[in-house]
């Protein structure tokens, strides 16, 4: 049993190492070194860069040293937690990320949680009566929703609820410098402020992510409809809800876990779009601004962190999957 | 085996045909050269400008048509490169034992990585030209299909009739041609459609974010320009600035969804197929099949082929 | 429109105020409905402006210098009509124009309670000699010393016509007791780094969100600020007007003239229009082909329909760029220059049948290149547009790493010495840098006007400089534009400053408008 876990851990350790190395090699593998390739010489620049920025990059990439020493320096910096200095802002990359990390994490986790709960509930409800009107409507609706790119959903919500109806503030984040009392009501006000500003960005992510959960849950629930144990449970007079919770839910755990793992890869893209449209001061907006400014140290750090983050999350999910699999004994239907 | 294609499939096919025609005939169909400011800025639909004009006075309909060219061009290019790459890798990995491990590890790695930050880093380094965009998107989408091809190859390779063919003296090349290839061909249509869908999604989003080639006309940049206007929603013409490209994007993507129902959903009711297709063809769908191949036993797959 | 302006630069004694009233500026009356708010003004700018010290403030645009002006004071200042005394209550100029003696006002103290003395003024200029103020170079100052209790004498290396307006009116006076032991002010981040004498005290700065909080200095020597707190935050362009309308901010701006119609019926908000002190221009790198040839530059000028570009982008009446750079409706503008009205045939003639492919560096959101491309294509110039974010563009301009660049900035309505500074490589505003022009006559005239104290003579020299610019076109101004400030009159009353605040900044929050409550 722990052999499985060890193998899994080993695999992920290799992947993590690969991410770290990839992060080192990407700018070096592309033709030319990061400076001449990206900035060319003045007029030949595909991506023009100032001399000061080039100099900073030279230092950041340790370009004056042989590659092996560059690698050692890079690994050493990482081990120390040093992610370098931003070219575009007078700050260390680590500080820039730390100031913005919680906005993005909070937004993503909350939306993931909500879309999971809402999606699964809707899906289960529809799956109980597959083929009926409500079910067909739901499935078509989700299919239609899944055809709309995130940024369109974001703009749509912005146009209707913020600019249009004025129900929600335009910008994400929090109101600057509001000082709330340290007491409970102050905390409440602050929370409400943040919640109202993050409502639309979160709603966008939920809408985009829920479709998948709905369909996974629905398919799984529909798939169990004819199962003998379900018929027995119903015959015994168990209420629908307890049936759903105690019997159907565990059944959909597998596909759900699979789908969750899928969603993780897509989250960063979602954060990027949503934070850009709603000006949430998170990592997505930082990424967006850093591209404009060609702030490579920041982009490399974001790539590394998101890569490792997704790996960690996937590892967790696969562990969960292993455990579920074991509990069920044989492979499920 | 009879394949009953749902009605939606034909709708999707028809739409795709329409888009393809528009893309091919673009300059002939468009009333104006899209990038030329030809009319009064921010005009509602009037004589000569059926969909109105944008903030520079460029004709919206012409922009829409030229945008179709960009979207489809990128989609076709990405699909071609990605398919060739993944098919090739899958065949190689399945057929030549020694290459299997490294190739599969590579595809595993690419799948494990979140694609957006990778794309951002690469495109910032190499520049956002159309060609780089195509290459980057193709690189993000090949691993999934490669795994599937490989597993099919392995299955077929060990099938009795193949063993028989080998024992009867068939060369490896002969076996490959007559048995493996046809087996993998069945998988192609799905891959094509899914990749087209992925490419359209990705191109539109990247263009909107300003990360694609700003020199080309694209539905995404049309929306990006509209959105950059601080007074957009206060202008009465704003629906004409926002809806045409938005509807175009959504319609093209829906067309691919409907097309995929006819390809995958050969068995089972329509709603299921649509649903499954919708889920598995989300913007980052290229990871779907791979996840199954990667570590799990593939419950999704099974239920789909039910 | 603009009345005749009698400019007196720096004669002896108190400056004679000028007559100029910035035309087109609608001064507004206080709100007719509801009481005035006195707790807060929230200003939405487009970016973070750096730490609020003279050594770390951002020079990418005027946002930083303006915010700094609320925290620090200068020797002189400007109101609607011209230069007025500020920290210096009066001053005299020496006969040769090479030194100024300022008498410091009484009763001024720093935010930490220490009194502001002549020593501080002398120290400031001495310190700036080795650690420059980023927004205005003080290279012309040779020495500064306190010659009495309340007197400071500033010695210049040569007569400098713009001294009272530009240097004395822009350079912040800093406290000696904070900075005298600081060897590297660019890295200094002590708690007292932003100690000034201005109407507002620095309270907080959040870099990630680009937000600033300033609190009123109740003991401000010029009068108590009307509003207790000034907050500034960074908002992307597309949201700026919307957040004022939503009530999240009280003041922001746009260059889109259609905002006047939009808000015409708004009961709560008003629009304040400034003189056309901002401009959009093409900078040619005259050191590199093809723009090392005057004919090609002039061809570009004839090929572009600048009126149409201006109308399309500002969505208002076009103010076509003056080839001499200095905008119309300002005192130093030369109206009798050679013009470049649209003439594609003439442009092709000047091109002489040659074709070029040119890289244009522009802002990521600029729309002008899309309008320019077909116009230039028609005369044989193919445009490749490279889009970069504003700070990168500023850096590239600063280094001369470009062929042609599109930039937009303020700072052209004040003292005309900036023309000389641009081409001498001394311009501080990052968006105005990058001007390359090797013309001996122009440089000579530039040097001459800077030391000419007689207003009439100086004027004719500046006029001639504009003629050279119009003929040689090292830069082509596409159009001049106004700023449209959207504001809530309950919270804020805008003010027009003669020639723009400091060196031609068309902002409505001159600190004079904020005090006296």
């Amino acid at each position: 049993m722990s052999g499985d876990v060890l193998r899994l851990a080993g695999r992920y350790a290799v992947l993590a190492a690969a991410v770290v190395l990839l992060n080192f090699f990407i700018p070096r593998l592309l033709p030319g070194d990061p400076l001449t390739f990206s900035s060319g010489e003045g007029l030949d620049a595909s991506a023009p860069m100032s001399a000061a920025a080039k100099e900073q990059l030279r230092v950041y990439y340790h370009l004056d040293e042989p590659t092996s020493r560059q690698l050692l320096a890079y690994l050493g910096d990482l081990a120390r937690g040093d992610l370098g200095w931003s070219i575009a802002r007078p700050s260390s990359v680590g500080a820039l990320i730390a100031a913005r990390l919680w906005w993005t994490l909070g937004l993503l986790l909350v939306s993931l949680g909500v879309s999971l709960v809402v999606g699964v509930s809707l899906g289960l409800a529809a799956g109980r009566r597959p083929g009926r009107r409500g079910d067909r409507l739901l499935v078509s609706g989700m299919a239609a929703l899944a055809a709309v790119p995130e940024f369109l959903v974001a703009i749509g919500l912005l146009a209707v609820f913020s600019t249009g109806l004025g129900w929600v503030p335009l910008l994400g984040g929090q109101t600057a410098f509001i000082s709330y009392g340290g007491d409970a009501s102050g905390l409440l006000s602050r929370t409400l402020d943040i919640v109202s500003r993050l409502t639309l960005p979160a709603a966008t992510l939920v809408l985009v992510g829920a479709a998948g959960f709905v369909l996974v849950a629905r398919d799984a629930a529909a798939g169990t409809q004819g199962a003998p144990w379900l018929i027995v449970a119903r015959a015994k007079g168990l209420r629908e809800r307890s049936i759903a919770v105690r019997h159907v839910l565990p059944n959909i755990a597998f596909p759900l876990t699979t789908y969750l793992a899928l969603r993780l890869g897509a989250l960063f893209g979602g954060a990027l779009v949503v934070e850009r449209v709603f000006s949430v001061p998170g990592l997505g907006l930082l990424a967006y601004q850093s591209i404009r400014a060609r702030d490579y140290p920041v982009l490399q750090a974001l790539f590394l962190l998101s890569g490792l983050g997704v790996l960690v999350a996937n590892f967790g999910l696969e562990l969960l999957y292993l455990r579920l699999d074991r509990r069920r004994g044989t492979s499920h239907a | 085996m009879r394949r009953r294609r749902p009605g939606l499939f034909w709708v999707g096919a028809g739409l795709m045909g329409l888009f393809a025609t528009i893309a091919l005939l673009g300059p002939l169909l468009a009333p104006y050269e899209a990038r030329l400011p030809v009319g009064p800025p921010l005009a509602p639909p009037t004589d000569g400008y059926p969909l109105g004009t944008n903030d520079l006075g460029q004709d919206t309909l012409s922009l829409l048509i030229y945008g179709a060219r960009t979207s489809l061009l990128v989609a076709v290019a990405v699909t071609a490169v990605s398919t060739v790459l993944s098919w090739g890798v899958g065949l190689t990995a399945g057929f030549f034992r020694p290459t299997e491990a490294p190739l599969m590890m590579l595809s595993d790695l690419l799948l494990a990585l979140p694609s957006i930050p990778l794309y951002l880093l690469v495109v910032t380094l190499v520049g956002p030209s159309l060609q780089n965009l195509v290459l980057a998107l193709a690189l993000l989408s090949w691993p999934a299909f490669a795994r599937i091809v490989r597993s099919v190859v392995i299955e077929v390779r060990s099938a009795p009739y193949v063993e028989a063919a080998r024992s009867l003296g068939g060369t490896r090349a002969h076996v490959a041609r007559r048995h493996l290839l046809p087996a993998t061909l069945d998988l192609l249509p799905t891959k094509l459609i899914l990749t087209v869908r992925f490419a359209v999604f990705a191109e539109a989003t990247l263009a909107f974010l300003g990360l694609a080639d700003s020199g080309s006309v694209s539905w995404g940049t049309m929306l990006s320009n509209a959105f950059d206007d601080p007074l957009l929603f206060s202008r009465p013409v704003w629906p004409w600035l926002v809806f045409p490209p938005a509807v175009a994007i959504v319609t093209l993507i829906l067309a691919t969804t409907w097309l995929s129902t006819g390809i995958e959903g050969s068995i089972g009711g329509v709603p299921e197929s649509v649903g499954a297709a919708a889920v598995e063809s989300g913007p980052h769908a290229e990871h779907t099949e791979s996840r199954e191949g990667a570590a799990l036993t593939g419950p999704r797959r099974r239920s789909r082929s039910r | 429109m603009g009345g005749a302006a009698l400019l007196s630069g720096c004669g002896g004694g108190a400056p004679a105020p000028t007559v100029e009233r910035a035309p087109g500026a609608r001064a507004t009356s206080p709100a007719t409905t509801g009481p005035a708010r006195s707790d807060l003004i929230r200003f939405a700018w487009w970016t973070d402006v750096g730490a609020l010290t003279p050594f770390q403030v951002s020079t990418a645009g005027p946002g930083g210098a303006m915010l700094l002006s609320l925290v620090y004071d200068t020797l002189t200042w400007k109101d609607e009509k011209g230069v007025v005394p500020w920290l210096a209550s009066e001053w005299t100029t020496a006969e040769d124009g090479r030194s100024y003696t300022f008498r410091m006002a009484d009763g001024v103290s720093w935010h930490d309670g220490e009194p502001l003395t002549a020593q501080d003024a002398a120290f400031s200029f001495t310190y700036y000699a080795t650690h420059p103020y980023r927004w205005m170079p003080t290279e012309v100052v040779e020495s500064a010393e306190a010659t009495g209790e309340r007197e400071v004498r500033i010695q210049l290396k040569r007569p400098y016509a713009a001294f009272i307006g530009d240097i004395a009116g822009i350079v912040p006076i800093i406290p000696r007791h904070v900075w005298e032991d600081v060897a590297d002010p660019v890295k200094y981040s002590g708690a007292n780094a932003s100690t000034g004498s201005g109407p507002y005290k620095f309270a907080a700065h959040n870099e990630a969100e680009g937000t600033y909080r300033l609190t009123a200095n109740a003991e401000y020597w010029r009068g108590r600020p009307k509003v207790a707190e000034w907050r500034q935050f960074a908002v992307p362009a597309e949201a700026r007007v919307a957040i004022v309308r939503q009530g999240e901010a009280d003041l922001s701006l746009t260059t889109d003239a259609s905002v006047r119609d939009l808000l015409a019926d708004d009961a709560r908000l008003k629009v304040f229009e400034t003189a056309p002190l901002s401009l959009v221009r093409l900078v040619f790198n005259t050191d590199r082909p093809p723009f090392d040839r005057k004919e090609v530059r002039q061809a570009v000028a004839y090929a572009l329909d600048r009126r149409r570009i201006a109308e399309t982008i500002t969505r208002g009446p076009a103010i076509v760029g003056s080839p001499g750079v200095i905008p119309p409706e300002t005192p130093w503008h030369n109206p009798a220059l050679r013009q470049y009205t649209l003439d594609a045939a003439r442009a092709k003639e000047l091109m002489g049948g040659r074709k070029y492919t040119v890289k244009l560096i522009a802002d990521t959101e600029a729309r002008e290149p899309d309008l320019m491309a077909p116009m230039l294509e028609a005369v044989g110039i193919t445009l490749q547009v490279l889009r970069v974010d504003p700070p990168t563009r500023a850096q590239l301009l600063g280094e001369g790493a470009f062929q042609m660049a599109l930039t937009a900035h303020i700072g052209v309505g004040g003292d005309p010495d900036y023309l000389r500074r641009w081409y001498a490589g001394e311009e501080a505003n990052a968006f105005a840098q990058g001007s390359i022009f090797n013309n001996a006559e122009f440089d000579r005239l530039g040097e001459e006007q800077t030391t000419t104290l007689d207003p009439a003579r100086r004027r004719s020299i500046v006029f001639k400089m504009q003629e050279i610019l119009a003929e040689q076109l090292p830069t082509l101004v596409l159009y001049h534009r106004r700023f449209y400030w959207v504001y809530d009159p309950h919270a804020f009353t805008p003010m027009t400053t003669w020639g723009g605040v400091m060196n031609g900044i068309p902002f409505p929050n001159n600190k004079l408008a904020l005090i006296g409550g």
Side-chain angles (χ1 to χ4, degrees):
Chain A
M1 162 184 128
S2 68
D4 273 344
V5 175
L6 273 179
R7 231 174 303 137
L8 195 64
R11 206 174 128 252
Y12 272 90
V14 170
L15 283 177
V19 170
V20 170
L21 284 177
L22 194 64
N23 191 36
F24 175 79
F25 280 111
I26 286 180
R28 293 166 173 85
L29 282 179
L30 294 167
D33 79 59
L35 304 190
T36 56
F37 190 86
S38 68
S39 50
E41 250 317 301
L43 298 182
D44 299 322
S46 67
M49 232 188 189
S50 72
K54 285 190 208 176
E55 188 47 44
Q56 249 180 290
L57 278 190
R58 189 171 294 281
V59 170
Y60 173 75
Y61 285 115
H62 303 277
L63 283 173
D64 300 320
E65 301 176 43
T67 312
S68 53
R69 298 219 51 196
Q70 289 180 25
L71 183 56
L72 282 176
Y74 166 74
L75 293 173
D77 285 342
L78 275 189
R80 271 199 312 273
D82 177 6
L83 293 168
W85 273 76
S86 157
I87 301 181
R89 299 162 212 253
S91 163
S92 75
V93 175
L96 288 176
I97 291 182
R100 293 163 170 77
L101 180 64
W102 291 110
W103 287 109
T104 302
L105 270 187
L107 187 60
L108 292 181
L109 289 176
V110 166
S111 344
L112 200 57
V114 172
S115 49
L116 180 73
V117 168
V118 169
V120 168
S121 315
L122 275 180
L124 284 182
R128 266 209 291 279
R129 280 177 282 275
R132 296 274 287 277
R133 253 268 292 264
D135 176 47
R136 292 169 81 95
L137 218 59
L138 183 68
V139 171
S140 317
M142 291 298 113
L145 191 55
V148 183
E150 275 149 340
F151 71 93
L152 280 181
V153 176
I155 297 182
L157 288 181
L158 185 74
V160 170
F161 292 102
S162 190
T163 316
L165 295 171
W167 285 359
V168 210
L170 206 55
L171 300 176
Q174 56 185 340
T175 311
F177 302 125
I178 293 279
S179 53
Y180 302 101
D183 60 353
S185 84
L187 196 60
L188 183 66
S189 305
R190 178 151 190 227
T191 312
L192 281 179
D193 179 47
I194 293 181
V195 164
S196 76
R197 287 169 187 287
L198 290 183
T199 304
L200 288 187
T204 307
L205 291 175
V206 166
L207 278 176
V208 168
F213 288 116
V214 167
L215 292 164
V216 165
R218 179 216 166 269
D219 279 357
T224 62
Q225 283 315 301
W229 50 266
L230 199 55
I231 297 176
V232 169
R234 283 218 175 93
K236 286 211 290 198
L238 286 181
R239 288 181 315 145
E240 282 303 314
R241 175 167 309 164
S242 68
I243 291 181
V245 168
R246 294 180 55 193
H247 297 285
V248 181
L249 262 187
N251 232 33
I252 71 172
F254 283 108
L256 215 53
T257 317
T258 314
Y259 185 68
L260 205 54
L262 284 184
R263 277 301 295 166
L264 284 178
L267 280 183
F268 197 86
L272 184 61
V273 168
V274 151
E275 289 185 19
R276 147 87 180 97
V277 171
F278 295 104
S279 292
V280 178
L283 296 180
L285 191 58
L286 179 64
Y288 178 71
Q289 292 165 339
S290 300
I291 300 165
R292 295 290 159 106
R294 302 231 142 64
D295 203 343
Y296 296 109
V298 172
L299 290 172
Q300 297 236 235
L302 285 175
F303 169 64
L304 188 65
L305 288 179
S306 56
L308 292 177
V310 168
L311 281 182
V312 166
N314 273 326
F315 180 58
L317 282 174
E318 289 209 39
L319 271 184
L320 180 63
Y321 193 89
L322 269 183
R323 176 143 307 173
L324 289 174
D325 207 5
R326 220 159 293 123
R327 282 227 308 217
R328 297 281 299 172
T330 55
S331 62
H332 59 293
Chain B
M1 248 181 300
R2 221 162 0 126
R3 286 176 154 242
R4 195 195 94 233
R5 293 227 162 93
L8 277 181
F9 168 81
W10 296 110
V11 177
L15 279 176
M16 284 302 283
L18 181 63
F19 277 113
T21 315
I22 293 177
L24 280 172
L25 295 181
L28 298 176
L29 290 175
Y32 307 96
E33 214 256 86
R35 315 188 57 168
L36 274 185
V38 290
L42 296 176
T46 52
D47 265 344
Y49 314 109
L51 290 178
T53 61
N54 70 357
D55 63 320
L56 292 184
Q58 296 165 324
D59 174 50
T60 303
L61 180 61
S62 307
L63 284 171
L64 214 56
I65 293 175
Y66 277 68
R69 304 194 90 197
T70 306
S71 296
L72 284 173
L73 180 68
V74 169
V76 166
V78 170
T79 305
V81 176
S82 173
T83 304
V84 166
L85 205 50
S86 52
W87 204 6
V89 169
L91 282 176
T92 312
F95 209 60
F96 297 106
R97 274 276 141 114
T99 62
E100 183 178 358
L103 282 178
M104 286 303 107
M105 277 218 52
L106 178 61
S107 73
D108 244 1
L109 178 64
L110 281 176
L111 286 169
L113 298 175
S115 42
I116 298 288
L118 181 57
Y119 177 81
L120 296 186
L121 185 59
V122 168
V123 97
T124 309
L125 282 164
V126 305
S129 70
L130 212 55
Q131 169 188 343
N132 290 336
L133 175 71
V134 166
L135 283 176
L137 290 181
L139 282 174
L140 290 179
S141 62
W142 73 259
F145 191 57
R147 295 202 77 92
I148 297 175
V149 170
R150 164 190 156 269
S151 50
V152 165
V153 168
I154 290 182
E155 248 180 70
V156 171
R157 200 174 64 189
S158 50
Y161 64 89
V162 173
E163 300 253 338
R166 293 290 301 284
S167 68
L168 284 178
T171 64
R172 292 174 80 174
H174 168 83
V175 166
R177 216 170 356 111
R178 290 221 45 212
H179 298 286
L180 290 181
L181 276 186
T184 57
L185 271 178
D186 272 349
L187 305 164
L188 262 191
T190 312
K191 160 68 175 169
L192 292 179
I193 293 296
L194 284 189
T195 311
V196 165
R197 188 187 157 110
F198 161 73
V200 174
F201 247 110
E203 192 271 331
T205 305
L206 293 171
F208 172 76
L209 291 174
L211 303 178
D213 184 6
S214 58
S216 54
V217 176
S218 155
W219 294 333
T221 36
M222 288 172 74
L223 285 164
S224 164
N225 286 330
F227 190 64
D228 280 340
D229 177 359
L231 302 179
L232 173 68
F233 293 112
S234 344
R235 304 192 196 283
V237 297
W238 77 262
W240 296 104
L241 297 171
V242 172
F243 287 128
V247 167
I249 295 174
V250 173
T251 310
L252 182 54
I253 295 177
L254 275 179
T256 61
T257 311
W258 292 330
L259 257 185
S260 66
T261 69
I263 291 171
E264 291 180 80
S266 52
I267 311 157
V270 168
E272 269 178 322
S273 313
V274 170
V279 168
E280 304 203 0
S281 315
H284 309 278
E286 293 312 306
H287 296 254
T288 313
E289 287 105 23
S290 70
R291 287 277 168 222
E292 297 139 22
L296 316 173
T297 50
R300 198 82 202 91
R301 197 113 196 257
R302 249 183 248 153
S303 65
R304 192 159 36 97
S305 55
R306 200 174 349 120
Chain C
M1 277 307 186
L6 310 170
L7 175 69
S8 98
C10 24
T18 66
V19 171
E20 169 71 13
R21 234 211 117 67
R26 270 185 270 140
T28 59
S29 50
T32 48
T33 55
R37 265 179 30 209
S38 62
D39 57 337
L40 180 58
I41 298 180
R42 296 160 302 176
F43 175 39
W45 185 231
W46 68 277
T47 184
D48 182 87
V49 297
L52 282 189
T53 77
F55 312 100
Q56 294 155 329
V57 75
S58 163
T59 53
M66 281 304 299
L67 194 56
L68 212 61
S69 76
L70 297 183
V71 178
Y72 291 85
D73 285 317
T74 51
L75 289 177
T76 66
W77 195 237
K78 288 204 278 187
D79 66 3
E80 296 95 335
K81 306 206 190 70
V83 179
V84 297
W86 204 251
L87 281 182
S89 52
E90 55 190 20
W91 56 90
T92 56
T93 325
E95 271 301 309
D96 63 354
R98 289 187 54 189
S99 83
Y100 293 78
T101 308
F102 294 89
R103 190 178 188 290
M104 305 295 291
D106 294 317
V108 186
S109 51
W110 296 103
H111 293 152
D112 60 5
E114 296 289 322
L116 190 155
T117 65
Q119 315 278 13
D120 291 306
F123 168 79
S124 299
F125 283 96
T126 315
Y127 196 73
Y128 285 134
T130 45
H131 308 98
Y133 171 43
R134 301 182 55 156
W135 189 251
M136 176 59 58
T138 53
E139 169 275 331
V140 70
V141 172
E142 186 176 281
S143 69
E145 59 175 316
T147 52
E149 247 304 301
R150 312 215 59 81
E151 262 186 22
V152 60
R153 205 178 80 135
I154 302 188
Q155 184 76 26
L156 304 181
K157 293 176 187 160
R158 51 184 182 279
Y160 188 54
F163 182 73
I164 290 293
D166 269 3
I167 296 192
I170 296 180
V171 167
I173 303 300
I174 53 178
R176 185 175 70 156
H177 61 278
V178 169
W179 296 98
E180 65 186 333
D181 292 321
V182 176
D184 190 359
V186 177
K187 295 214 165 60
Y188 182 63
S189 56
N192 59 357
S194 301
T195 307
S197 59
Y200 284 89
K201 302 188 203 189
F202 172 72
H205 171 210
N206 180 326
E207 180 274 330
E209 300 174 17
T211 50
Y212 297 83
R213 184 162 166 253
L214 306 180
T215 51
N217 176 5
E219 283 89 37
Y220 189 55
W221 58 286
R222 271 283 195 154
R224 190 198 177 87
K226 291 191 253 205
V227 176
E229 202 171 301
W230 175 277
R231 285 190 202 154
Q232 180 160 321
F233 40 102
V235 173
E238 74 265 3
R240 276 206 290 273
V241 174
I243 70 164
V244 178
R245 297 184 81 192
Q246 277 204 343
E248 293 265 320
D250 307 301
L251 175 66
S252 194
L253 83 152
T254 176
T255 50
D256 186 329
S258 56
V259 74
R260 295 174 302 175
D261 301 319
L262 176 66
L263 293 181
D265 300 320
D266 192 307
R268 193 174 63 92
L269 300 178
K270 289 188 189 287
V271 176
F272 175 74
E273 198 177 299
T274 68
L277 300 185
S278 172
L279 48 63
V280 176
R281 67 184 173 107
L282 286 177
V283 185
F284 298 116
N285 188 335
T286 57
D287 274 347
R288 294 197 219 225
F291 295 114
D292 50 345
R293 296 182 53 233
K294 173 180 83 165
E295 291 73 26
V296 181
R297 306 194 293 264
Q298 289 178 337
V300 170
Y302 281 116
L304 294 176
D305 185 352
R306 292 178 288 149
R307 170 162 309 277
R308 177 140 160 257
I309 295 178
E311 277 169 358
T312 305
I313 299 199
T314 62
R315 292 186 255 280
I319 308 173
V320 175
S322 170
V325 177
I326 299 183
E329 298 178 30
T330 64
W332 295 90
H333 171 70
N334 181 344
L337 295 172
R338 164 182 186 168
Q339 296 297 321
Y340 292 87
T341 19
L342 178 64
D343 190 341
R346 186 83 196 276
K348 276 190 253 199
E349 199 187 335
L350 283 165
M351 288 289 289
R354 270 172 287 247
K355 291 195 180 302
Y356 299 108
T357 301
V358 166
K359 288 202 179 189
L360 171 67
I361 296 188
D363 199 4
T364 41
E365 284 150 13
R367 300 295 268 147
E368 290 86 349
D370 291 313
L371 291 172
M372 287 167 49
M375 297 172 185
L376 291 178
E377 188 68 45
V379 303
I381 299 179
T382 305
L383 217 52
Q384 279 178 1
V385 185
L386 275 176
R387 294 191 181 266
V388 295
D389 71 321
T392 308
R393 171 175 49 117
Q395 285 167 349
L396 290 170
L397 283 183
E399 291 162 13
F402 67 99
Q403 262 181 318
M404 185 159 88
L406 180 73
T407 186
H409 59 85
I410 49 83
V412 295
D415 189 286
D417 191 48
Y418 67 84
L419 285 180
R420 177 194 63 84
R421 285 202 299 270
W422 282 9
Y423 297 107
E426 287 172 26
E427 173 57 44
N429 183 352
F431 297 136
Q433 289 172 350
S435 304
I436 301 171
F437 185 38
N438 306 310
N439 184 300
E441 172 74 2
F442 183 83
D443 292 340
R444 186 185 69 76
L445 289 173
E447 286 304 318
E448 201 187 326
Q449 63 81 27
T450 197
T451 56
T452 306
L453 301 180
D454 169 45
R457 251 198 81 216
R458 190 176 178 219
R459 187 181 176 77
S460 79
I461 301 174
V462 172
F463 269 41
K464 217 179 289 151
M465 288 171 73
Q466 292 176 69
E467 278 168 26
I468 298 180
L469 288 177
E471 174 63 30
Q472 295 291 326
L473 284 187
T475 180
L476 175 66
V477 181
L478 293 183
Y479 58 94
H480 302 278
R481 58 185 188 180
R482 306 178 191 278
F483 279 359
Y484 298 94
W485 293 92
V486 180
Y487 69 101
D488 180 349
H490 293 92
F492 175 72
T493 306
M495 173 180 160
T496 306
T497 307
W498 177 77
V501 181
M502 293 191 281
N503 57 329
I505 305 174
F507 270 45
N509 57 327
N510 183 321
K511 52 193 163 190
L512 273 169
L514 298 173
I515 57 177

